[in-house]
Amino acid sequence: MSDAFPVTIFHNPACGTSRNVVAMVEAAGYRPEVVYYMEAGWTPDQLGALFADAGMTPREALREKGTPAAELGLLEPGASDASLLAAMVEHPALVNRPLVRTPKGVAMCRPSEKVFDLLERTPERFVKEDGQVV
């Protein structure tokens, strides 16, 4: 295993897609830095930089399912990027996952196979939690 190619995964262990991404990265021979953002939280600067590096807007990174997005009015067309970022800092679950950073860039890895675009090497074969072979 090599740390010469750093991989950081912003991970929620309650999420199957996120668990698959961690397992895929490890199966490819990397030791990722795993950030448990539900515990660690976010800062506005950190999220802003991640979204900019991924070429995403806060709205594109907003997770609606299982979050207070609707109750907070974040699904309204007039919700600003600043209000979305502030809500994401206050409620980390509002950020869709997993976000992955490598020297190749940052991406929202949904579906989980998108993580392979960020790696120098991939496993020959990988079986997801649901049995799907990729």
Side-chain angles (χ1 to χ4, degrees), residues 74 78-88:
L74 302 177
S80 69
D81 284 353
S83 65
L84 290 169
L85 278 175
M88 289 170 166

Side-chain angles (χ1 to χ4, degrees), residues 19-75:
R19 290 191 305 271
N20 278 320
V21 165
V22 170
M24 289 170 157
V25 169
E26 290 173 344
Y30 297 96
R31 282 192 302 257
E33 174 188 0
V34 178
V35 177
Y36 295 90
Y37 69 87
M38 292 294 290
E39 298 168 15
W42 300 106
T43 68
D45 290 344
Q46 176 189 38
L47 280 178
L50 282 169
F51 296 160
D53 291 348
M56 304 174 69
T57 66
R59 182 164 303 283
E60 290 168 331
L62 179 66
R63 181 170 179 85
E64 298 176 23
K65 182 180 169 188
T67 73
E71 301 87 80
L72 295 171
L74 302 177
L75 305 182

Side-chain angles (χ1 to χ4, degrees), residues 5-11 21 25 31-35 50 99-103 105 107 118:
F5 188 88
V7 178
T8 303
I9 303 170
F10 296 88
H11 175 56
V21 165
V25 169
R31 282 192 302 257
E33 174 188 0
V34 178
V35 177
L50 282 169
L99 282 164
V100 179
R101 169 182 278 139
T102 77
L118 296 174

